[in-house]
Amino acid sequence: MKIGCPKEIKPQEFRVGMTPNAAQEAVARGHEVIIETGAGLGAGFDNDAYTAAGARIVDTAEEIFATADMIVKVKEPQAVERKMLREGQLLFTYLHLAPDPDQTHDLLASGCTAIAYETVTDNNGGLPLLAPMSEVAGRLAPQVGSWTLQKANGGRGVLMGGVPGVGPAKVVVIGGGVVGTHAAQIAAGMGADVTVLDRSLPRLRYLDDVFGGRFKNQYSTAGATAELIRDADMVIGAVLIPGAAAPKLVTREQLSTMKPGAVLVDVAIDQGGCFETSKATTHADPIYEVDGIMHYCVANMPGAVARTSTIALGNATMPFMLALADKGWRQACQDDPHLLAGLNVHAGQLTYYAVGKALGIDVVSPNVVIKS
Ligand SMILES: NC(=O)c1ccc[n+]([C@@H]2O[C@H](COP(=O)([O-])OP(=O)(O)OC[C@H]3O[C@@H](n4cnc5c(N)ncnc54)[C@H](O)[C@@H]3O)[C@@H](O)[C@H]2O)c1
């Protein structure tokens, strides 16, 4: 198969769909890999790294879209890219179609087959191509939060780990899923006193079994949250209710009960945020203050560490990318129901129920489509 990887053109996107290592694996299996010149630079991979891996560098995205059998990307195709997609071409990338009718209609009109990273599943009921980005955002949260806690940035001027004779920062993590667990691990590693709140008892049992002693956990109620945030130096929002906007778990009124200069890091901002006073910010201007409380609410946190994010995403996508290249999408999806769960669009038909429901478009079962 001819696999093409264009440079990402969405503003502020520095990741790239294929690492040189992924390209090398594909080439070793007999596939041809073409990479747009400079595509990997934002993540620290120059053209030579790809050439050494056996890929060929091409000058334009047009050449990639015109000749590749499969396009591997990070972000959803932008309007100019969607115009270049062809009938029969396979697109493997994040799509997030439900809130995006324009993209959905363009993909349907193109005749391409589109497999969305975010809906590929695994045996544990997880989303393996979303998890790496949650891991990155979770681990980044205490890092950016501790920077915000510094006095010059508007924070309380508290050091995460304290020093001998001075106690550590108190960190509360609301939501103990992928983001929350990784956030708690790093905050605890920095020496902070960490408590994780979650609504799932099985999850709390897991956290207790695996991390008991390193950080505390508590069942999440409005009362427990109110009590913990009063004393917190940093609160990290990491809740998710699948398919719904994030619940508002800290109100504006409650900010006045918190210590002046305390920090809220709302990782759940991409689902609307779990603090009432959260509004999405960018890496260029990430923090703001409301009622004396500092807020960090960047919606694409992994972009700040594009190299780590690219490699983490590449590790997760590579086995699926290779299966698609080796077998073709139809056979690969027949062999792997988790990959089939990623099928969102095929030959003008929508194949993902939640997207159809959100956009009022008829859906054809993916099981029917792979047999057609
Ligand atoms: N800002 C970013 O760059 C970025 C990056 C990655 C993920 N995210 C977002 O972070 C959020 C968390 O993602 P995740 O992968 O950890 O999800 P997850 O499903 O692994 O974990 C969510 C957890 O929230 C818990 N929860 C639900 N309601 C709760 C409540 N009322 N109180 C306490 N806990 C509650 C659930 O039990 C679950 O354990 C999502 O909104 C995700 O989209 C943002």
Side-chain angles (χ1 to χ4, degrees):
M1 194 179 262
K2 190 167 184 174
I3 307 168
C5 176
K7 187 173 165 61
E8 293 297 317
I9 55 171
K10 192 166 180 177
Q12 294 295 309
E13 182 53 67
F14 299 105
R15 290 173 293 178
V16 60
M18 280 181 96
T19 60
N21 282 347
Q24 188 178 25
E25 297 256 352
V27 169
R29 294 157 93 109
H31 303 294
E32 187 185 349
V33 176
I34 52 173
I35 309 277
E36 184 179 346
T37 183
L41 284 179
F45 299 118
D46 62 15
N47 287 349
D48 289 348
Y50 288 100
T51 310
R56 187 161 61 82
I57 303 295
V58 299
D59 287 336
T60 61
E62 282 77 4
E63 191 173 341
I64 303 234
F65 280 88
T67 63
D69 303 306
M70 169 163 62
I71 306 277
V72 180
K73 275 177 53 58
V74 179
K75 280 296 189 189
E76 73 278 5
Q78 304 299 291
V80 53
E81 295 172 318
R82 302 199 296 262
K83 286 203 188 86
M84 296 190 280
L85 282 167
R86 293 174 292 113
E87 193 174 336
Q89 198 164 43
L90 179 58
L91 173 66
F92 190 41
T93 191
Y94 286 120
L95 292 176
H96 296 289
L97 291 180
D100 195 346
D102 289 351
Q103 188 201 168
T104 306
H105 288 296
D106 285 356
L107 291 186
L108 290 169
S110 75
C112 79
T113 298
I115 298 183
Y117 290 165
E118 71 275 9
T119 66
V120 172
T121 53
D122 67 19
N123 279 332
N124 307 319
L127 300 168
L129 304 189
L130 271 185
M133 294 305 100
S134 286
E135 291 166 357
V136 169
R139 289 188 176 215
L140 191 56
Q143 192 171 312
V144 294
S146 62
W147 176 82
T148 312
L149 257 185
Q150 291 175 30
K151 199 72 194 160
N153 300 319
R156 263 172 71 65
V158 169
L159 185 62
M160 290 289 270
V163 287
V166 183
K170 289 196 170 151
V171 175
V172 176
V173 181
I174 312 181
V178 181
V179 167
T181 305
H182 284 267
Q185 267 182 279
I186 294 299
M190 292 167 98
D193 172 350
V194 183
T195 305
V196 177
L197 290 160
D198 204 289
R199 283 236 146 174
S200 156
L201 278 176
R203 189 67 192 171
L204 291 174
R205 288 193 184 105
Y206 165 83
L207 293 177
D208 203 60
D209 277 350
V210 178
F211 300 104
R214 288 177 63 195
F215 53 80
K216 295 166 268 188
N217 68 72
Q218 205 169 322
Y219 191 75
S220 176
T221 59
T225 306
E227 200 174 307
L228 282 165
I229 65 168
R230 268 202 296 272
D231 210 21
D233 297 294
M234 185 189 304
V235 182
I236 296 173
V239 299
L240 178 66
I241 299 179
K248 304 290 178 217
L249 300 175
V250 176
T251 63
R252 178 162 190 165
E253 243 177 17
Q254 284 178 303
L255 298 189
S256 63
T257 69
M258 296 177 67
K259 298 175 186 167
V263 171
L264 301 181
V265 179
D266 200 343
V267 186
I269 188 66
D270 61 337
Q271 301 295 325
C274 58
F275 309 131
E276 192 186 0
T277 42
S278 295
K279 60 175 196 295
T281 57
T282 62
H283 292 296
D285 193 10
I287 58 175
Y288 63 95
E289 178 254 315
V290 178
D291 297 345
I293 303 299
M294 298 307 297
H295 292 58
Y296 174 102
C297 305
V298 173
N300 64 333
M301 291 175 69
V305 287
R307 185 174 172 87
T308 302
S309 299
T310 291
I311 299 169
L313 181 62
N315 292 344
T317 58
M318 196 179 77
F320 296 106
M321 179 272 290
L322 292 175
L324 290 166
D326 289 349
K327 303 177 185 181
W329 74 270
R330 202 181 289 272
Q331 189 62 49
C333 287
Q334 266 168 18
D335 292 351
D336 182 355
H338 295 303
L339 186 55
L340 181 62
L343 188 67
N344 276 231
V345 170
H346 171 63
Q349 303 165 101
L350 193 65
T351 55
Y352 199 79
Y353 282 103
V355 175
K357 196 169 166 216
L359 298 179
I361 301 174
D362 287 343
V363 170
V364 181
S365 163
N367 289 303
V368 170
V369 163
I370 45 169
K371 293 197 183 92
S372 64

Coordinates of all heavy atoms in Angstrom, one line a residue, residues 117-182:
Y117 N -9.7 7.8 14.9 CA -9.0 7.3 16.1 C -9.8 7.2 17.3 O -9.8 6.3 18.1 CB -7.8 8.3 16.4 CG -6.7 8.3 15.4 CD1 -5.7 9.4 15.5 CD2 -6.4 7.3 14.5 CE1 -4.7 9.5 14.7 CE2 -5.4 7.4 13.6 CZ -4.5 8.5 13.7 OH -3.4 8.6 12.9
E118 N -10.7 8.3 17.5 CA -11.4 8.4 18.8 C -12.4 7.4 19.0 O -12.9 7.3 20.2 CB -11.9 9.8 19.0 CG -13.1 10.2 18.1 CD -12.8 10.7 16.7 OE1 -11.6 10.6 16.3 OE2 -13.7 11.1 16.0
T119 N -12.9 6.6 18.0 CA -13.9 5.6 18.3 C -13.4 4.2 18.2 O -14.2 3.3 18.4 CB -15.1 5.8 17.3 OG1 -14.8 5.6 16.0 CG2 -15.7 7.2 17.4
V120 N -12.1 4.0 17.9 CA -11.5 2.7 18.0 C -11.6 2.2 19.5 O -11.3 3.0 20.4 CB -10.1 2.7 17.5 CG1 -9.4 1.4 17.7 CG2 -10.0 3.0 16.0
T121 N -11.9 1.0 19.7 CA -12.1 0.5 21.1 C -11.1 -0.6 21.5 O -10.3 -1.0 20.6 CB -13.5 -0.1 21.2 OG1 -13.7 -1.1 20.2 CG2 -14.6 0.9 21.1
D122 N -11.1 -1.0 22.7 CA -10.3 -2.1 23.1 C -11.1 -3.1 24.0 O -12.2 -2.9 24.3 CB -9.0 -1.6 23.8 CG -9.3 -1.0 25.2 OD1 -10.3 -1.2 25.7 OD2 -8.4 -0.3 25.7
N123 N -10.4 -4.2 24.4 CA -11.1 -5.2 25.1 C -11.6 -4.8 26.5 O -12.5 -5.4 27.1 CB -10.2 -6.4 25.4 CG -10.1 -7.3 24.1 OD1 -11.1 -7.3 23.4 ND2 -9.0 -8.0 23.9
N124 N -11.0 -3.7 27.1 CA -11.4 -3.3 28.4 C -12.5 -2.2 28.4 O -12.7 -1.5 29.4 CB -10.2 -2.8 29.2 CG -9.1 -3.8 29.2 OD1 -9.3 -5.0 29.3 ND2 -7.9 -3.3 28.9
G125 N -13.1 -2.0 27.2 CA -14.1 -0.9 27.1 C -13.5 0.5 27.0 O -14.1 1.5 27.2
G126 N -12.2 0.5 26.8 CA -11.5 1.8 26.7 C -11.3 2.3 25.2 O -11.8 1.6 24.3
L127 N -10.7 3.4 25.1 CA -10.5 4.0 23.8 C -9.0 4.2 23.6 O -8.4 5.2 24.0 CB -11.2 5.4 23.7 CG -12.8 5.3 23.9 CD1 -13.4 6.7 24.1 CD2 -13.4 4.6 22.7
P128 N -8.3 3.2 23.0 CA -6.9 3.1 23.1 C -6.2 4.2 22.3 O -5.0 4.5 22.5 CB -6.6 1.7 22.4 CG -7.8 1.4 21.6 CD -8.9 2.0 22.3
L129 N -6.9 4.9 21.3 CA -6.2 5.9 20.6 C -6.5 7.3 21.2 O -5.9 8.3 20.7 CB -6.6 5.8 19.1 CG -6.3 4.5 18.4 CD1 -6.5 4.5 16.9 CD2 -4.9 4.0 18.8
L130 N -7.4 7.3 22.2 CA -7.5 8.6 22.9 C -6.7 8.6 24.2 O -6.2 9.6 24.7 CB -9.0 8.8 23.4 CG -9.9 9.5 22.4 CD1 -11.3 9.7 23.1 CD2 -9.4 10.9 22.0
A131 N -6.5 7.3 24.7 CA -5.8 7.2 26.0 C -4.4 7.9 26.1 O -4.1 8.6 27.1 CB -5.7 5.7 26.4
P132 N -3.6 7.7 25.0 CA -2.3 8.3 25.1 C -2.4 9.9 25.3 O -1.5 10.4 26.0 CB -1.6 8.0 23.8 CG -2.4 7.0 23.1 CD -3.8 7.0 23.7
M133 N -3.4 10.5 24.7 CA -3.5 12.0 24.8 C -4.0 12.3 26.2 O -3.6 13.4 26.8 CB -4.3 12.6 23.7 CG -3.7 12.4 22.3 SD -2.1 13.1 22.2 CE -1.0 11.6 22.3
S134 N -4.8 11.5 26.8 CA -5.2 11.7 28.2 C -4.1 11.5 29.1 O -3.9 12.2 30.1 CB -6.4 10.7 28.6 OG -7.6 11.1 27.9
E135 N -3.2 10.5 28.8 CA -2.0 10.3 29.7 C -1.1 11.6 29.6 O -0.6 12.0 30.7 CB -1.2 9.1 29.2 CG -2.0 7.8 29.4 CD -1.4 6.6 28.7 OE1 -0.4 6.8 27.9 OE2 -1.9 5.5 28.9
V136 N -0.9 12.1 28.4 CA -0.1 13.3 28.3 C -0.7 14.5 29.0 O -0.1 15.1 29.8 CB 0.1 13.7 26.8 CG1 0.7 15.0 26.6 CG2 0.9 12.6 26.1
A137 N -2.0 14.7 28.8 CA -2.7 15.9 29.4 C -2.7 15.7 30.9 O -2.4 16.7 31.7 CB -4.1 16.0 28.9
G138 N -2.9 14.5 31.4 CA -2.9 14.3 32.9 C -1.5 14.5 33.5 O -1.4 15.2 34.5
R139 N -0.5 14.0 32.8 CA 0.9 14.2 33.4 C 1.3 15.7 33.3 O 2.1 16.2 34.0 CB 1.9 13.3 32.7 CG 1.6 11.9 33.1 CD 2.7 10.9 32.6 NE 2.4 9.6 33.1 CZ 3.3 8.7 33.5 NH1 4.6 9.0 33.4 NH2 3.0 7.6 34.0
L140 N 0.8 16.4 32.3 CA 1.1 17.8 32.1 C 0.4 18.7 33.1 O 1.0 19.8 33.5 CB 0.8 18.2 30.6 CG 1.3 19.5 30.1 CD1 2.8 19.6 30.2 CD2 0.8 19.7 28.6
A141 N -0.7 18.3 33.6 CA -1.6 19.1 34.4 C -0.8 19.6 35.7 O -0.8 20.8 35.9 CB -2.9 18.4 34.8
P142 N -0.2 18.8 36.5 CA 0.5 19.3 37.6 C 1.7 20.2 37.2 O 2.1 21.1 38.0 CB 1.0 18.1 38.4 CG 0.3 16.9 37.8 CD -0.1 17.3 36.4
Q143 N 2.3 19.9 36.1 CA 3.4 20.7 35.6 C 3.0 22.1 35.3 O 3.6 23.0 35.8 CB 4.0 20.0 34.4 CG 5.3 20.4 33.9 CD 5.9 19.5 32.8 OE1 5.8 18.3 32.9 NE2 6.3 20.1 31.7
V144 N 1.9 22.3 34.5 CA 1.5 23.6 34.2 C 0.8 24.3 35.5 O 0.9 25.5 35.7 CB 0.5 23.6 33.0 CG1 1.1 23.2 31.8 CG2 -0.8 22.8 33.3
G145 N 0.2 23.4 36.3 CA -0.4 24.0 37.5 C 0.6 24.5 38.5 O 0.4 25.5 39.1
S146 N 1.7 23.8 38.6 CA 2.8 24.2 39.5 C 3.4 25.5 39.0 O 3.8 26.4 39.8 CB 3.8 23.1 39.7 OG 4.5 22.9 38.5
W147 N 3.5 25.7 37.7 CA 4.0 26.9 37.1 C 3.1 28.1 37.5 O 3.4 29.2 37.9 CB 4.2 26.8 35.6 CG 4.6 28.0 34.9 CD1 5.9 28.5 34.8 CD2 3.8 28.9 34.2 NE1 5.9 29.6 34.1 CE2 4.6 29.9 33.7 CE3 2.4 29.0 33.9 CZ2 4.1 31.0 32.9 CZ3 1.9 30.0 33.2 CH2 2.8 31.0 32.7
T148 N 1.8 27.8 37.3 CA 0.7 28.8 37.6 C 0.7 29.2 39.1 O 0.4 30.3 39.5 CB -0.7 28.3 37.2 OG1 -0.6 27.8 35.8 CG2 -1.7 29.4 37.2
L149 N 1.1 28.2 39.9 CA 1.1 28.4 41.4 C 2.2 29.4 41.8 O 2.2 30.0 42.9 CB 1.3 27.1 42.1 CG 0.2 26.4 42.8 CD1 0.7 25.2 43.6 CD2 -0.6 27.3 43.8
Q150 N 3.2 29.6 40.9 CA 4.2 30.6 41.2 C 3.7 32.0 41.3 O 2.8 32.4 40.6 CB 5.4 30.5 40.2 CG 6.1 29.1 40.2 CD 7.1 29.0 39.1 OE1 7.7 30.0 38.6 NE2 7.3 27.8 38.7
K151 N 4.3 32.7 42.2 CA 3.8 34.1 42.6 C 3.7 35.0 41.3 O 2.7 35.7 41.1 CB 4.7 34.7 43.6 CG 4.1 35.8 44.3 CD 3.1 35.4 45.3 CE 2.2 36.5 45.8 NZ 0.9 36.1 46.3
A152 N 4.8 35.0 40.5 CA 4.8 35.9 39.4 C 3.7 35.6 38.4 O 3.4 36.4 37.5 CB 6.2 35.7 38.7
N153 N 3.2 34.4 38.4 CA 2.1 34.0 37.5 C 0.7 34.2 38.1 O -0.3 33.8 37.5 CB 2.3 32.6 37.0 CG 3.7 32.4 36.3 OD1 4.1 33.3 35.5 ND2 4.4 31.3 36.6
G154 N 0.7 34.7 39.3 CA -0.6 35.0 39.9 C -1.0 34.0 41.0 O -2.0 34.1 41.6
G155 N -0.2 33.0 41.1 CA -0.5 31.9 42.1 C -0.1 32.2 43.5 O 0.4 33.3 43.8
R156 N -0.4 31.2 44.4 CA -0.2 31.4 45.8 C 1.3 31.5 46.2 O 1.6 31.8 47.4 CB -0.8 30.2 46.6 CG -2.2 30.5 47.1 CD -2.8 29.2 47.6 NE -2.3 28.7 48.9 CZ -2.3 29.4 50.0 NH1 -2.9 30.5 50.1 NH2 -1.8 28.8 51.1
G157 N 2.1 31.1 45.3 CA 3.6 31.1 45.7 C 3.9 29.9 46.5 O 4.6 30.0 47.5
V158 N 3.3 28.7 46.2 CA 3.5 27.5 47.0 C 4.3 26.5 46.1 O 4.0 26.3 44.9 CB 2.2 26.9 47.4 CG1 2.3 25.5 48.0 CG2 1.5 27.9 48.4
L159 N 5.3 25.9 46.7 CA 6.1 24.9 46.0 C 5.5 23.5 46.2 O 5.1 23.2 47.3 CB 7.5 24.9 46.7 CG 8.6 24.0 46.0 CD1 8.9 24.4 44.6 CD2 9.9 24.1 46.9
M160 N 5.3 22.8 45.1 CA 4.6 21.5 45.2 C 5.1 20.6 46.3 O 4.3 20.0 47.1 CB 4.7 20.7 43.8 CG 4.0 21.4 42.7 SD 2.2 21.2 42.9 CE 1.9 19.7 42.0
G161 N 6.4 20.4 46.4 CA 6.9 19.4 47.4 C 7.2 20.0 48.7 O 7.7 19.3 49.6
G162 N 7.0 21.4 48.9 CA 7.5 22.0 50.1 C 9.0 21.9 50.2 O 9.7 21.6 49.3
V163 N 9.5 22.1 51.4 CA 10.9 21.8 51.7 C 10.9 21.3 53.2 O 9.9 21.4 53.9 CB 11.8 23.1 51.6 CG1 12.0 23.5 50.2 CG2 11.2 24.3 52.4
P164 N 12.0 20.8 53.7 CA 12.1 20.4 55.0 C 11.6 21.5 56.0 O 12.0 22.6 55.9 CB 13.5 20.0 55.3 CG 14.0 19.6 53.9 CD 13.3 20.5 53.0
G165 N 10.6 21.2 56.8 CA 10.0 22.1 57.7 C 8.8 22.9 57.1 O 8.2 23.6 57.9
V166 N 8.6 22.8 55.8 CA 7.4 23.4 55.2 C 6.6 22.4 54.5 O 7.2 21.7 53.6 CB 7.9 24.6 54.2 CG1 6.6 25.3 53.7 CG2 8.8 25.5 54.9
G167 N 5.3 22.3 54.7 CA 4.5 21.3 54.1 C 4.3 21.4 52.6 O 4.5 22.5 52.1
P168 N 3.9 20.3 52.0 CA 3.8 20.4 50.5 C 2.5 21.1 50.1 O 1.6 21.3 50.9 CB 3.7 18.9 50.1 CG 3.1 18.2 51.4 CD 3.6 19.0 52.5
A169 N 2.3 21.3 48.8 CA 1.1 21.8 48.3 C 0.0 20.7 48.4 O 0.3 19.5 48.3 CB 1.3 22.2 46.8
K170 N -1.3 21.2 48.5 CA -2.4 20.2 48.6 C -3.0 20.2 47.2 O -3.5 21.3 46.7 CB -3.4 20.6 49.7 CG -2.8 20.4 51.0 CD -3.9 20.4 52.1 CE -3.2 19.9 53.4 NZ -3.8 20.4 54.6
V171 N -3.1 19.1 46.6 CA -3.7 19.0 45.2 C -4.9 18.1 45.3 O -4.8 17.0 45.9 CB -2.6 18.4 44.3 CG1 -3.2 18.2 42.9 CG2 -1.4 19.3 44.2
V172 N -6.0 18.5 44.7 CA -7.2 17.7 44.6 C -7.5 17.4 43.1 O -7.4 18.3 42.3 CB -8.4 18.5 45.2 CG1 -9.7 17.7 45.0 CG2 -8.2 18.8 46.7
V173 N -7.6 16.2 42.8 CA -7.9 15.8 41.4 C -9.3 15.2 41.4 O -9.7 14.3 42.0 CB -6.9 14.7 40.9 CG1 -7.2 14.3 39.5 CG2 -5.5 15.1 41.1
I174 N -10.2 15.9 40.6 CA -11.6 15.5 40.5 C -11.7 14.6 39.2 O -11.6 15.1 38.1 CB -12.6 16.6 40.4 CG1 -12.2 17.7 41.5 CG2 -14.0 16.1 40.6 CD1 -13.2 18.9 41.6
G175 N -12.0 13.3 39.4 CA -12.0 12.4 38.3 C -10.8 11.5 38.3 O -9.7 12.0 38.1
G176 N -10.9 10.2 38.6 CA -9.7 9.4 38.7 C -9.6 8.4 37.5 O -9.2 7.2 37.7
G177 N -10.0 8.9 36.3 CA -9.8 8.0 35.1 C -8.4 8.1 34.6 O -7.4 8.3 35.4
V178 N -8.2 8.1 33.3 CA -6.8 8.1 32.7 C -6.1 9.5 33.1 O -5.0 9.5 33.6 CB -6.9 7.9 31.2 CG1 -5.4 7.9 30.6 CG2 -7.6 6.7 30.8
V179 N -6.8 10.6 32.8 CA -6.2 11.9 33.0 C -5.9 12.0 34.5 O -4.8 12.4 34.9 CB -7.1 13.1 32.6 CG1 -6.7 14.4 33.2 CG2 -7.2 13.1 31.1
G180 N -6.9 11.8 35.4 CA -6.8 12.0 36.8 C -5.7 11.1 37.4 O -4.9 11.6 38.3
T181 N -5.6 9.9 37.0 CA -4.6 9.0 37.6 C -3.2 9.5 37.3 O -2.3 9.5 38.1 CB -4.8 7.5 37.1 OG1 -6.1 7.2 37.4 CG2 -3.8 6.6 37.8
H182 N -3.0 9.8 36.0 CA -1.7 10.3 35.6 C -1.3 11.6 36.3 O -0.2 11.9 36.6 CB -1.6 10.4 34.1 CG -1.4 9.0 33.5 ND1 -0.2 8.4 33.2 CD2 -2.3 8.0 33.2 CE1 -0.3 7.2 32.7 NE2 -1.6 7.0 32.7

